[in-house]
């Protein structure tokens, strides 16, 4: 499959960069989700990676993962595909 996207002029330079960097944004969100997952699944502290997470860190990480997924779903996006 071949997709062609055209942007005309300097005015659309930011739009072109956003289109080209889409995969990088997905990878950045994936990395953030995995950091939070290390707390919810393995109990790793968000602040001190070599220590056990507190109950508050666990709850915050769980809530943030849920919110990330809700936001992405609102844009019809999915980290898992």
């Amino acid at each position: 499959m071949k997709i062609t996207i055209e942007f005309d002029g300097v005015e659309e330079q930011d739009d072109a960069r956003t289109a080209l960097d889409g995969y990088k944004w997905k990878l950045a969100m994936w990395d953030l989700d995995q950091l939070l997952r290390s707390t919810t699944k393995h109990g790793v502290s968000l602040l001190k990676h070599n220590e056990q997470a507190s109950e508050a860190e666990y709850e915050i990480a769980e809530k943030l993962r849920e919110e990330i997924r809700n936001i992405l779903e609102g844009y019809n996006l999915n980290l898992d595909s």
Side-chain angles (χ1 to χ4, degrees):
M1 175 169 48
K2 182 178 179 178
I3 297 174
T4 303
I5 302 174
E6 291 186 26
F7 296 94
D8 296 321
V10 176
E11 304 85 31
E12 295 179 353
Q13 186 174 2
D14 288 340
D15 292 337
R17 179 52 43 205
T18 299
L20 294 171
D21 286 345
Y23 190 68
K24 291 179 188 177
W25 281 97
K26 182 176 182 174
L27 291 176
M29 291 303 298
W30 173 262
D31 288 347
L32 175 60
D33 183 66
Q34 292 304 298
L35 175 67
L36 296 168
R37 181 179 179 271
S38 70
T39 299
T40 60
K41 184 170 183 175
H42 304 292
V44 176
S45 173
L46 290 169
L47 303 174
K48 299 175 183 174
H49 298 291
N50 56 347
E51 292 185 16
Q52 188 71 19
S54 68
E55 184 64 29
E57 283 181 301
Y58 176 85
E59 290 174 9
I60 290 169
E62 190 170 25
K63 181 66 176 164
L64 287 173
R65 286 189 84 204
E66 181 181 320
E67 287 301 317
I68 288 169
R69 281 175 166 59
N70 288 339
I71 290 167
L72 291 174
E73 185 178 303
Y75 287 99
N76 200 29
L77 298 171
N78 185 338
L79 283 177
D80 301 322
S81 60

